[in-house]
Amino acid sequence: MESLTLSDVEQKYYSELFLSCDVDNTKKVASNGKVLDLFRAAQLSNEVVHQITELCGATRLGHFGRSQFYIALKLIALAQSGLPLRVESLNSVRDLPLPRFVMGKNEQETRHAVMFADTENQGPYFPRPPGRVQAKKVSAHEMIQPCVPTVDPQPDTTSPVVSPHQSPPTSPHAWRKHKRQASGGNVDRQPSVPGVVWPPFREAQPGPVTGDGMWSAHSPPPVQESWVSFTDTPPSSTLPMHPPSAQPESTTVRTVPSAMTTNEIQRQISGYDDPWKITDEQRQYYINQFKTIQADLTGLIPGSAAKEFFTKSKLPILELSHIWELSDFDKDGALTLDEFCAAFHLVVARKNGYDLPEKLPESLMPKLIDLDDSAGVPEPATEVDFSASPVEVTPNKSPSMPSLNQNWSELNQSNEQWETFSERSSSSQTLTQFDSNIAPADPDTAIVHPVPIRMTPSKIHMQEMELKRTGSDHTHPTSPLMANPPELSDETKLAATIKFPGTTVGDGYSSSDSFTSDQEPISSAVNRQRSHSGTSPEGLKVVAPPPPPPRPHASHSRSSSLDMNRNFAAVPAGPQQPGVVAFPPAVPPRPLPTQTSVPHGHRSVEGDGLPAHTSTSPHQMPEQPNFADFSQFQAFAVDQPADDGENTSDSGQAERCAETTGTMKTAKNDIQSEERNATTVNSAKVSTPLAPPPKPVRRRLKSEDELRPDVEDLPQKSNVIATVLATQPSIPRSIGKDKKAIQASIRRNKETNTVLARLNSELQQQLKDLLEERISLEVQLEQLRPFSHL
Amino acid sequence: MAVCIAVIAKENCPLYIRSVPTQGELKFHYTVHTSLDVVEEKISGVGKALADQRELYLGLLYPTEDYKVYGYVTNSKVKFVIVVDSSNTSLRDNEIRSMFRKLHNSFTDVMCNPFYNPGDPIQSKAFDSIVSTMMVQAC
């Protein structure tokens, strides 16, 4: 026979029963007749009774020895709670109610019932217990109430166990209650063992209040069953008594009958809802424990620390391993706060005797629950319950919609993540659009945008890639990952934004581009830069690289330097000359804005026309090493028609020239706006630097409109101007024009590159598929080959 | 599907072995044991090169008239052996590879469990379920 562990209450009860059955007073054997009568009084079917007798070994022995009797009684309790009759469950099910026997069938039995109660004046109550037992809830209430006063005078301070003895009407129920308390004691012992880790359990143990807690401890599945059985059988109708009776005996039952029932009903309801629900106190407790291991609530507990912590619970390693498997949702070897709470909850459940589920229950799935909710005011009952046993389905706080809570919290979490991301993205308005481009698009399409304009600083490209990656990582549920992408994106965005002004300051080209684009139909690419959110990094890319190689410089220097030199020569030489005189005054305003590199559309546009002016400014003279070259080119240009010179240059330059001419026109316009009288002259002057020496003279006389036909000359000059600008660190705008053309060509090339790359990848994919097919065919062939050899 | 799946540790001691119970399990145990020789042979063959150059999937170790044995070894010298029925010709190489991949993944999950001591028999239920999905659905 399996060794039977009985609680004190059980021990007493069983011994009493044994004595009652021990009619022959042998102290060892209970007579079969008595025992069978008793068993039948337990209101079990005959088959069950037979099964019980078989299980306890009485049939083998032929009589009921003490141990068999006890086993039989426990089995009866099992059967009455609706649990399957198994020898193993004798010891495993700790919170078993005491077996109930319907008294009153026999006078003898009633007398035995008398024996059960220690007090003598229980007789009058006996007729009532049966009645009470079978009475409805209400009547039971009434019945009990009169009994209570009799109970009260009896000192119950001796021990909670004793007092119920004195209330015979409730004796079966009281037994049950004390069984609860006893089982509370059982559970007590285990949690207290791990020590400091589990103080709440220990502290809560003393006091009959725990009985209440223990009662609620049964809310998980086994209790559900017992609840069911209770409601089914009449004795269960007295169930509502238990919670109140479990309360300090002084508190009378009658004062709170309604509360009990509601409590009970709530418990029943919540019990059916979700046995794995974590109450808020429990969650708070778990969170506190989490903090002892890992201060950061959004951080992770490493596996080793968690292992140490949970090993303290003295559960077998195998079960802990299983709990870990269930709770480590993302399989990362570390526990987040939610995972930790789930694991803790499972450990507690296991310690209370409930089997671990095969799959993680929904309510334990890791999700973000507002910590604010968990910090809500707990009711005293729940607090007691929690302290007694964390595994409780509490009625008060249990949101009746756990799933809804989950969804909401998940949604909240994801919303949170999205919000943080969007917040950061909105920090730089240009980049938000970029992100929106990223999110739905695959990397290929995302690359398309940056590609055309990308010049390369690989750093910026990397930032772009990170931005895209963070967009994709966005949906990842784990917090650490979530923490990083927003930071990453934030950094990249910040860097990008910082870069942008930096580059604009440092490199007037970018500003010129961005703003000339407004005015330039031709520089549509640059327009794209601004309109496209994604272009800001592209713009940065464009901006970041240093001015293009001196190739354009040569061409630019050719025409512009010639004129500029001329002008320089002319200016000092003949300040009295009206044109020249007019020239210098026009100069200062332009260089200033350009030099300060504050992008204004018109100013930057003027940049093209300004090189001459800037070059005229004395302090810039030394900064133009090209002037020496310019003079050569100038001479060269003078010899040849400007057009030819232009033709020799790249076609890109021609484009640039076209652009610059347009800018030149606008520059001329601007010049006009500035100084009416002087503008014409200035524009003439502007054109003069571009035109070969003989032409400037002519140009001066010509009107602006007449100058326009000389577009061909202007591009050349503008190229030179651009180169000159490039040489001037503060006024690289003309180079920008130059660069635009180059970049346009680069863009086109890169577009073709991407197209080809895509094609390549597709073909490679096809190749892979074909190879796989080939492999499979070969395998099949091999399989078939043995047959061919036969 | 597989008839027998085994996981052998670096020291060539079995961590997990599960076979379809219809046939004598001893036979499969023996087969797996002998296949270890072939595995060693394949590993040592590339011994001069570094481990990362060696592919994890070893392929068909040796066929018998009844069944075929496939091998897979991880970078930590943990070996997976799958025995499949020869009559099951529809099994492609890729499927075997995917089976090994799944095994490897769930094995990694087991390893990640801090309560698992390397060298212990694998008692993880998740691992069991993965293996069951791969085993022949024998009645």
Side-chain angles (χ1 to χ4, degrees), chain A residues 303 307 310 317-318 320-322 324-325 331 333 358 772 776 783, chain B residues 68 89 91-94 109 112-115 117 123-126:
Chain A
K307 175 179 179 177
F310 287 116
I317 295 288
L318 183 59
L320 288 173
S321 175
H322 189 222
W324 176 276
E325 256 177 39
K331 299 275 180 277
E358 287 300 317
E772 277 192 23
S776 65
Q783 288 175 351
Chain B
K68 295 189 223 162
T89 53
L91 264 184
R92 292 164 53 171
D93 195 53
N94 278 345
D109 290 340
C112 280
N113 190 331
F115 298 103
N117 300 316
Q123 284 157 326
S124 149
K125 294 198 185 136

PDB file of all heavy atoms in Angstrom, chain A residues 303 307 310 317-318 320-322 324-325 331 333 358 772 776 783, chain B residues 68 89 91-94 109 112-115 117 123-126:
ATOM      1  N   GLY A 303      19.834  33.929 -18.583  1.00  0.00           N
ATOM      2  CA  GLY A 303      19.378  32.595 -18.231  1.00  0.00           C
ATOM      3  C   GLY A 303      19.975  32.091 -16.939  1.00  0.00           C
ATOM      4  O   GLY A 303      19.290  31.446 -16.139  1.00  0.00           O
ATOM      5  N   LYS A 307      18.015  30.922 -13.744  1.00  0.00           N
ATOM      6  CA  LYS A 307      18.152  29.544 -13.277  1.00  0.00           C
ATOM      7  C   LYS A 307      18.364  29.510 -11.779  1.00  0.00           C
ATOM      8  O   LYS A 307      17.708  28.756 -11.058  1.00  0.00           O
ATOM      9  CB  LYS A 307      19.332  28.891 -13.996  1.00  0.00           C
ATOM     10  CG  LYS A 307      19.619  27.497 -13.496  1.00  0.00           C
ATOM     11  CD  LYS A 307      20.776  26.870 -14.245  1.00  0.00           C
ATOM     12  CE  LYS A 307      21.059  25.485 -13.693  1.00  0.00           C
ATOM     13  NZ  LYS A 307      22.113  24.814 -14.417  1.00  0.00           N
ATOM     14  N   PHE A 310      15.075  30.438  -9.917  1.00  0.00           N
ATOM     15  CA  PHE A 310      14.008  29.452  -9.898  1.00  0.00           C
ATOM     16  C   PHE A 310      14.438  28.140  -9.259  1.00  0.00           C
ATOM     17  O   PHE A 310      13.590  27.352  -8.834  1.00  0.00           O
ATOM     18  CB  PHE A 310      13.485  29.216 -11.314  1.00  0.00           C
ATOM     19  CG  PHE A 310      12.660  30.360 -11.825  1.00  0.00           C
ATOM     20  CD1 PHE A 310      13.078  31.103 -12.907  1.00  0.00           C
ATOM     21  CD2 PHE A 310      11.480  30.711 -11.200  1.00  0.00           C
ATOM     22  CE1 PHE A 310      12.324  32.165 -13.373  1.00  0.00           C
ATOM     23  CE2 PHE A 310      10.730  31.770 -11.657  1.00  0.00           C
ATOM     24  CZ  PHE A 310      11.144  32.501 -12.746  1.00  0.00           C
ATOM     25  N   ILE A 317      14.476  19.826 -11.623  1.00  0.00           N
ATOM     26  CA  ILE A 317      15.073  20.524 -12.756  1.00  0.00           C
ATOM     27  C   ILE A 317      14.261  20.289 -14.026  1.00  0.00           C
ATOM     28  O   ILE A 317      14.092  21.181 -14.853  1.00  0.00           O
ATOM     29  CB  ILE A 317      16.527  20.051 -12.973  1.00  0.00           C
ATOM     30  CG1 ILE A 317      17.383  20.440 -11.781  1.00  0.00           C
ATOM     31  CG2 ILE A 317      17.100  20.655 -14.238  1.00  0.00           C
ATOM     32  CD1 ILE A 317      17.692  21.903 -11.676  1.00  0.00           C
ATOM     33  N   LEU A 318      13.746  19.120 -14.155  1.00  0.00           N
ATOM     34  CA  LEU A 318      12.989  18.818 -15.364  1.00  0.00           C
ATOM     35  C   LEU A 318      11.780  19.743 -15.483  1.00  0.00           C
ATOM     36  O   LEU A 318      11.481  20.272 -16.556  1.00  0.00           O
ATOM     37  CB  LEU A 318      12.536  17.352 -15.333  1.00  0.00           C
ATOM     38  CG  LEU A 318      11.788  16.875 -16.577  1.00  0.00           C
ATOM     39  CD1 LEU A 318      12.670  17.056 -17.792  1.00  0.00           C
ATOM     40  CD2 LEU A 318      11.389  15.425 -16.427  1.00  0.00           C
ATOM     41  N   LEU A 320      11.432  22.642 -14.040  1.00  0.00           N
ATOM     42  CA  LEU A 320      11.909  24.002 -14.271  1.00  0.00           C
ATOM     43  C   LEU A 320      12.281  24.177 -15.733  1.00  0.00           C
ATOM     44  O   LEU A 320      12.044  25.226 -16.327  1.00  0.00           O
ATOM     45  CB  LEU A 320      13.120  24.295 -13.379  1.00  0.00           C
ATOM     46  CG  LEU A 320      12.801  24.460 -11.913  1.00  0.00           C
ATOM     47  CD1 LEU A 320      14.074  24.577 -11.105  1.00  0.00           C
ATOM     48  CD2 LEU A 320      11.945  25.692 -11.688  1.00  0.00           C
ATOM     49  N   SER A 321      12.867  23.120 -16.275  1.00  0.00           N
ATOM     50  CA  SER A 321      13.221  23.191 -17.682  1.00  0.00           C
ATOM     51  C   SER A 321      11.969  23.359 -18.537  1.00  0.00           C
ATOM     52  O   SER A 321      11.939  24.151 -19.479  1.00  0.00           O
ATOM     53  CB  SER A 321      13.965  21.906 -18.052  1.00  0.00           C
ATOM     54  OG  SER A 321      14.223  21.865 -19.414  1.00  0.00           O
ATOM     55  N   HIS A 322      10.958  22.615 -18.171  1.00  0.00           N
ATOM     56  CA  HIS A 322       9.719  22.734 -18.941  1.00  0.00           C
ATOM     57  C   HIS A 322       9.104  24.114 -18.780  1.00  0.00           C
ATOM     58  O   HIS A 322       8.606  24.705 -19.733  1.00  0.00           O
ATOM     59  CB  HIS A 322       8.733  21.648 -18.488  1.00  0.00           C
ATOM     60  CG  HIS A 322       7.542  21.565 -19.356  1.00  0.00           C
ATOM     61  ND1 HIS A 322       6.277  21.402 -18.860  1.00  0.00           N
ATOM     62  CD2 HIS A 322       7.404  21.638 -20.695  1.00  0.00           C
ATOM     63  CE1 HIS A 322       5.411  21.381 -19.852  1.00  0.00           C
ATOM     64  NE2 HIS A 322       6.064  21.508 -20.982  1.00  0.00           N
ATOM     65  N   TRP A 324      10.656  26.786 -18.201  1.00  0.00           N
ATOM     66  CA  TRP A 324      11.447  27.717 -19.008  1.00  0.00           C
ATOM     67  C   TRP A 324      11.031  27.653 -20.461  1.00  0.00           C
ATOM     68  O   TRP A 324      10.886  28.671 -21.134  1.00  0.00           O
ATOM     69  CB  TRP A 324      12.935  27.394 -18.870  1.00  0.00           C
ATOM     70  CG  TRP A 324      13.763  28.248 -19.741  1.00  0.00           C
ATOM     71  CD1 TRP A 324      14.055  28.064 -21.057  1.00  0.00           C
ATOM     72  CD2 TRP A 324      14.381  29.477 -19.373  1.00  0.00           C
ATOM     73  NE1 TRP A 324      14.822  29.092 -21.537  1.00  0.00           N
ATOM     74  CE2 TRP A 324      15.049  29.967 -20.505  1.00  0.00           C
ATOM     75  CE3 TRP A 324      14.442  30.205 -18.190  1.00  0.00           C
ATOM     76  CZ2 TRP A 324      15.761  31.145 -20.496  1.00  0.00           C
ATOM     77  CZ3 TRP A 324      15.165  31.378 -18.186  1.00  0.00           C
ATOM     78  CH2 TRP A 324      15.812  31.834 -19.329  1.00  0.00           C
ATOM     79  N   GLU A 325      10.869  26.440 -20.931  1.00  0.00           N
ATOM     80  CA  GLU A 325      10.480  26.289 -22.332  1.00  0.00           C
ATOM     81  C   GLU A 325       9.177  26.995 -22.622  1.00  0.00           C
ATOM     82  O   GLU A 325       8.993  27.595 -23.680  1.00  0.00           O
ATOM     83  CB  GLU A 325      10.289  24.807 -22.642  1.00  0.00           C
ATOM     84  CG  GLU A 325      11.397  24.194 -23.412  1.00  0.00           C
ATOM     85  CD  GLU A 325      11.169  22.720 -23.602  1.00  0.00           C
ATOM     86  OE1 GLU A 325      10.022  22.311 -23.823  1.00  0.00           O
ATOM     87  OE2 GLU A 325      12.153  21.991 -23.500  1.00  0.00           O
ATOM     88  N   LYS A 331      12.582  32.622 -27.163  1.00  0.00           N
ATOM     89  CA  LYS A 331      13.674  31.666 -27.259  1.00  0.00           C
ATOM     90  C   LYS A 331      15.024  32.342 -27.362  1.00  0.00           C
ATOM     91  O   LYS A 331      15.854  32.005 -28.189  1.00  0.00           O
ATOM     92  CB  LYS A 331      13.481  30.747 -28.485  1.00  0.00           C
ATOM     93  CG  LYS A 331      12.209  29.937 -28.413  1.00  0.00           C
ATOM     94  CD  LYS A 331      12.449  28.678 -27.606  1.00  0.00           C
ATOM     95  CE  LYS A 331      11.227  27.822 -27.479  1.00  0.00           C
ATOM     96  NZ  LYS A 331      10.342  28.252 -26.397  1.00  0.00           N
ATOM     97  N   GLY A 333      16.949  32.815 -24.565  1.00  0.00           N
ATOM     98  CA  GLY A 333      17.800  32.471 -23.439  1.00  0.00           C
ATOM     99  C   GLY A 333      17.766  33.494 -22.329  1.00  0.00           C
ATOM    100  O   GLY A 333      18.553  33.417 -21.389  1.00  0.00           O
ATOM    101  N   GLU A 358       0.639  22.115 -21.309  1.00  0.00           N
ATOM    102  CA  GLU A 358       1.503  21.753 -22.412  1.00  0.00           C
ATOM    103  C   GLU A 358       1.947  22.979 -23.186  1.00  0.00           C
ATOM    104  O   GLU A 358       3.047  23.061 -23.684  1.00  0.00           O
ATOM    105  CB  GLU A 358       0.755  20.793 -23.358  1.00  0.00           C
ATOM    106  CG  GLU A 358       0.585  19.404 -22.782  1.00  0.00           C
ATOM    107  CD  GLU A 358       1.916  18.760 -22.483  1.00  0.00           C
ATOM    108  OE1 GLU A 358       2.841  18.867 -23.303  1.00  0.00           O
ATOM    109  OE2 GLU A 358       2.048  18.168 -21.405  1.00  0.00           O
ATOM    110  N   GLU A 772      18.556  23.637 -58.142  1.00  0.00           N
ATOM    111  CA  GLU A 772      17.844  22.790 -57.187  1.00  0.00           C
ATOM    112  C   GLU A 772      17.102  21.686 -57.891  1.00  0.00           C
ATOM    113  O   GLU A 772      17.099  20.525 -57.474  1.00  0.00           O
ATOM    114  CB  GLU A 772      16.864  23.642 -56.372  1.00  0.00           C
ATOM    115  CG  GLU A 772      17.509  24.339 -55.212  1.00  0.00           C
ATOM    116  CD  GLU A 772      16.473  24.926 -54.285  1.00  0.00           C
ATOM    117  OE1 GLU A 772      15.339  24.444 -54.308  1.00  0.00           O
ATOM    118  OE2 GLU A 772      16.823  25.868 -53.556  1.00  0.00           O
ATOM    119  N   SER A 776      17.563  17.690 -57.394  1.00  0.00           N
ATOM    120  CA  SER A 776      16.505  16.740 -57.056  1.00  0.00           C
ATOM    121  C   SER A 776      16.412  15.655 -58.109  1.00  0.00           C
ATOM    122  O   SER A 776      16.217  14.467 -57.803  1.00  0.00           O
ATOM    123  CB  SER A 776      15.184  17.482 -56.904  1.00  0.00           C
ATOM    124  OG  SER A 776      14.811  18.029 -58.138  1.00  0.00           O
ATOM    125  N   GLN A 783      18.310   7.223 -56.929  1.00  0.00           N
ATOM    126  CA  GLN A 783      17.422   6.257 -56.292  1.00  0.00           C
ATOM    127  C   GLN A 783      16.998   5.185 -57.268  1.00  0.00           C
ATOM    128  O   GLN A 783      16.777   4.034 -56.901  1.00  0.00           O
ATOM    129  CB  GLN A 783      16.202   6.989 -55.743  1.00  0.00           C
ATOM    130  CG  GLN A 783      16.523   7.824 -54.513  1.00  0.00           C
ATOM    131  CD  GLN A 783      15.326   8.627 -54.061  1.00  0.00           C
ATOM    132  OE1 GLN A 783      14.324   8.672 -54.785  1.00  0.00           O
ATOM    133  NE2 GLN A 783      15.417   9.246 -52.915  1.00  0.00           N
TER     134      GLN A 783
ATOM    135  N   LYS B  68      17.889   4.202 -45.360  1.00  0.00           N
ATOM    136  CA  LYS B  68      19.047   5.065 -45.599  1.00  0.00           C
ATOM    137  C   LYS B  68      19.310   5.898 -44.373  1.00  0.00           C
ATOM    138  O   LYS B  68      18.385   6.271 -43.651  1.00  0.00           O
ATOM    139  CB  LYS B  68      18.754   5.994 -46.781  1.00  0.00           C
ATOM    140  CG  LYS B  68      18.596   5.262 -48.062  1.00  0.00           C
ATOM    141  CD  LYS B  68      18.541   6.256 -49.184  1.00  0.00           C
ATOM    142  CE  LYS B  68      17.429   5.774 -50.072  1.00  0.00           C
ATOM    143  NZ  LYS B  68      16.867   6.602 -50.977  1.00  0.00           N
ATOM    144  N   THR B  89      10.669   6.841 -51.523  1.00  0.00           N
ATOM    145  CA  THR B  89      11.527   7.465 -52.532  1.00  0.00           C
ATOM    146  C   THR B  89      11.184   8.930 -52.756  1.00  0.00           C
ATOM    147  O   THR B  89      11.916   9.640 -53.411  1.00  0.00           O
ATOM    148  CB  THR B  89      11.380   6.730 -53.863  1.00  0.00           C
ATOM    149  OG1 THR B  89       9.975   6.674 -54.178  1.00  0.00           O
ATOM    150  CG2 THR B  89      11.930   5.336 -53.751  1.00  0.00           C
ATOM    151  N   LEU B  91      11.216  11.256 -50.835  1.00  0.00           N
ATOM    152  CA  LEU B  91      11.943  12.206 -50.001  1.00  0.00           C
ATOM    153  C   LEU B  91      13.090  12.825 -50.774  1.00  0.00           C
ATOM    154  O   LEU B  91      14.000  12.130 -51.210  1.00  0.00           O
ATOM    155  CB  LEU B  91      12.509  11.492 -48.773  1.00  0.00           C
ATOM    156  CG  LEU B  91      11.677  11.581 -47.500  1.00  0.00           C
ATOM    157  CD1 LEU B  91      12.406  10.914 -46.371  1.00  0.00           C
ATOM    158  CD2 LEU B  91      11.373  13.014 -47.147  1.00  0.00           C
ATOM    159  N   ARG B  92      13.006  14.116 -50.929  1.00  0.00           N
ATOM    160  CA  ARG B  92      14.091  14.787 -51.633  1.00  0.00           C
ATOM    161  C   ARG B  92      15.194  15.184 -50.670  1.00  0.00           C
ATOM    162  O   ARG B  92      14.976  15.287 -49.480  1.00  0.00           O
ATOM    163  CB  ARG B  92      13.542  16.028 -52.320  1.00  0.00           C
ATOM    164  CG  ARG B  92      12.606  15.722 -53.450  1.00  0.00           C
ATOM    165  CD  ARG B  92      11.820  16.937 -53.821  1.00  0.00           C
ATOM    166  NE  ARG B  92      12.720  18.066 -54.077  1.00  0.00           N
ATOM    167  CZ  ARG B  92      12.296  19.195 -54.590  1.00  0.00           C
ATOM    168  NH1 ARG B  92      11.027  19.352 -54.883  1.00  0.00           N
ATOM    169  NH2 ARG B  92      13.132  20.193 -54.791  1.00  0.00           N
ATOM    170  N   ASP B  93      16.308  15.477 -51.268  1.00  0.00           N
ATOM    171  CA  ASP B  93      17.442  15.896 -50.457  1.00  0.00           C
ATOM    172  C   ASP B  93      17.105  17.155 -49.674  1.00  0.00           C
ATOM    173  O   ASP B  93      17.476  17.311 -48.519  1.00  0.00           O
ATOM    174  CB  ASP B  93      18.638  16.144 -51.386  1.00  0.00           C
ATOM    175  CG  ASP B  93      19.921  16.210 -50.594  1.00  0.00           C
ATOM    176  OD1 ASP B  93      20.171  15.260 -49.825  1.00  0.00           O
ATOM    177  OD2 ASP B  93      20.654  17.188 -50.730  1.00  0.00           O
ATOM    178  N   ASN B  94      16.371  18.040 -50.339  1.00  0.00           N
ATOM    179  CA  ASN B  94      16.036  19.287 -49.665  1.00  0.00           C
ATOM    180  C   ASN B  94      15.175  19.040 -48.448  1.00  0.00           C
ATOM    181  O   ASN B  94      15.291  19.745 -47.443  1.00  0.00           O
ATOM    182  CB  ASN B  94      15.290  20.218 -50.623  1.00  0.00           C
ATOM    183  CG  ASN B  94      16.256  20.949 -51.512  1.00  0.00           C
ATOM    184  OD1 ASN B  94      17.439  20.969 -51.227  1.00  0.00           O
ATOM    185  ND2 ASN B  94      15.756  21.536 -52.570  1.00  0.00           N
ATOM    186  N   ASP B 109      17.205  25.640 -29.239  1.00  0.00           N
ATOM    187  CA  ASP B 109      16.287  26.096 -28.207  1.00  0.00           C
ATOM    188  C   ASP B 109      16.500  25.323 -26.921  1.00  0.00           C
ATOM    189  O   ASP B 109      16.457  25.897 -25.829  1.00  0.00           O
ATOM    190  CB  ASP B 109      14.837  25.912 -28.678  1.00  0.00           C
ATOM    191  CG  ASP B 109      14.485  26.889 -29.784  1.00  0.00           C
ATOM    192  OD1 ASP B 109      15.189  27.907 -29.906  1.00  0.00           O
ATOM    193  OD2 ASP B 109      13.511  26.630 -30.512  1.00  0.00           O
ATOM    194  N   CYS B 112      19.442  26.632 -25.205  1.00  0.00           N
ATOM    195  CA  CYS B 112      19.256  27.950 -24.608  1.00  0.00           C
ATOM    196  C   CYS B 112      18.619  27.862 -23.241  1.00  0.00           C
ATOM    197  O   CYS B 112      18.694  28.808 -22.457  1.00  0.00           O
ATOM    198  CB  CYS B 112      18.357  28.805 -25.511  1.00  0.00           C
ATOM    199  SG  CYS B 112      19.246  29.501 -26.895  1.00  0.00           S
ATOM    200  N   ASN B 113      17.968  26.783 -22.968  1.00  0.00           N
ATOM    201  CA  ASN B 113      17.314  26.634 -21.683  1.00  0.00           C
ATOM    202  C   ASN B 113      18.388  26.526 -20.606  1.00  0.00           C
ATOM    203  O   ASN B 113      19.194  25.605 -20.616  1.00  0.00           O
ATOM    204  CB  ASN B 113      16.473  25.352 -21.719  1.00  0.00           C
ATOM    205  CG  ASN B 113      15.568  25.257 -20.511  1.00  0.00           C
ATOM    206  OD1 ASN B 113      15.879  25.761 -19.442  1.00  0.00           O
ATOM    207  ND2 ASN B 113      14.452  24.592 -20.692  1.00  0.00           N
ATOM    208  N   PRO B 114      18.405  27.463 -19.675  1.00  0.00           N
ATOM    209  CA  PRO B 114      19.487  27.443 -18.683  1.00  0.00           C
ATOM    210  C   PRO B 114      19.422  26.231 -17.773  1.00  0.00           C
ATOM    211  O   PRO B 114      20.410  25.900 -17.109  1.00  0.00           O
ATOM    212  CB  PRO B 114      19.275  28.727 -17.883  1.00  0.00           C
ATOM    213  CG  PRO B 114      17.858  29.086 -18.099  1.00  0.00           C
ATOM    214  CD  PRO B 114      17.497  28.578 -19.455  1.00  0.00           C
ATOM    215  N   PHE B 115      18.283  25.584 -17.744  1.00  0.00           N
ATOM    216  CA  PHE B 115      18.181  24.419 -16.877  1.00  0.00           C
ATOM    217  C   PHE B 115      18.684  23.150 -17.548  1.00  0.00           C
ATOM    218  O   PHE B 115      18.652  22.077 -16.948  1.00  0.00           O
ATOM    219  CB  PHE B 115      16.723  24.213 -16.455  1.00  0.00           C
ATOM    220  CG  PHE B 115      16.195  25.372 -15.662  1.00  0.00           C
ATOM    221  CD1 PHE B 115      15.359  26.306 -16.237  1.00  0.00           C
ATOM    222  CD2 PHE B 115      16.567  25.534 -14.336  1.00  0.00           C
ATOM    223  CE1 PHE B 115      14.882  27.377 -15.511  1.00  0.00           C
ATOM    224  CE2 PHE B 115      16.087  26.613 -13.614  1.00  0.00           C
ATOM    225  CZ  PHE B 115      15.244  27.527 -14.195  1.00  0.00           C
ATOM    226  N   ASN B 117      21.605  20.999 -18.829  1.00  0.00           N
ATOM    227  CA  ASN B 117      23.051  20.854 -18.769  1.00  0.00           C
ATOM    228  C   ASN B 117      23.517  20.069 -19.974  1.00  0.00           C
ATOM    229  O   ASN B 117      23.041  18.960 -20.210  1.00  0.00           O
ATOM    230  CB  ASN B 117      23.467  20.102 -17.502  1.00  0.00           C
ATOM    231  CG  ASN B 117      23.023  20.835 -16.267  1.00  0.00           C
ATOM    232  OD1 ASN B 117      23.173  22.043 -16.178  1.00  0.00           O
ATOM    233  ND2 ASN B 117      22.464  20.099 -15.320  1.00  0.00           N
ATOM    234  N   GLN B 123      15.163  16.131 -22.612  1.00  0.00           N
ATOM    235  CA  GLN B 123      13.826  15.766 -22.186  1.00  0.00           C
ATOM    236  C   GLN B 123      12.819  16.854 -22.507  1.00  0.00           C
ATOM    237  O   GLN B 123      11.745  16.905 -21.943  1.00  0.00           O
ATOM    238  CB  GLN B 123      13.814  15.514 -20.673  1.00  0.00           C
ATOM    239  CG  GLN B 123      14.434  14.186 -20.340  1.00  0.00           C
ATOM    240  CD  GLN B 123      14.943  14.165 -18.912  1.00  0.00           C
ATOM    241  OE1 GLN B 123      15.394  15.157 -18.391  1.00  0.00           O
ATOM    242  NE2 GLN B 123      14.849  13.017 -18.289  1.00  0.00           N
ATOM    243  N   SER B 124      13.196  17.711 -23.383  1.00  0.00           N
ATOM    244  CA  SER B 124      12.313  18.834 -23.672  1.00  0.00           C
ATOM    245  C   SER B 124      11.099  18.384 -24.460  1.00  0.00           C
ATOM    246  O   SER B 124      11.205  17.649 -25.439  1.00  0.00           O
ATOM    247  CB  SER B 124      13.092  19.876 -24.464  1.00  0.00           C
ATOM    248  OG  SER B 124      12.244  20.559 -25.330  1.00  0.00           O
ATOM    249  N   LYS B 125       9.962  18.868 -24.032  1.00  0.00           N
ATOM    250  CA  LYS B 125       8.740  18.452 -24.713  1.00  0.00           C
ATOM    251  C   LYS B 125       8.647  19.109 -26.079  1.00  0.00           C
ATOM    252  O   LYS B 125       8.092  18.531 -27.020  1.00  0.00           O
ATOM    253  CB  LYS B 125       7.528  18.854 -23.868  1.00  0.00           C
ATOM    254  CG  LYS B 125       7.473  18.103 -22.591  1.00  0.00           C
ATOM    255  CD  LYS B 125       6.105  18.134 -21.944  1.00  0.00           C
ATOM    256  CE  LYS B 125       6.206  17.444 -20.581  1.00  0.00           C
ATOM    257  NZ  LYS B 125       5.539  18.133 -19.523  1.00  0.00           N
ATOM    258  N   ALA B 126       9.150  20.315 -26.161  1.00  0.00           N
ATOM    259  CA  ALA B 126       9.108  20.987 -27.457  1.00  0.00           C
ATOM    260  C   ALA B 126       9.929  20.216 -28.478  1.00  0.00           C
ATOM    261  O   ALA B 126       9.522  20.028 -29.630  1.00  0.00           O
ATOM    262  CB  ALA B 126       9.625  22.410 -27.314  1.00  0.00           C
TER     263      ALA B 126
END
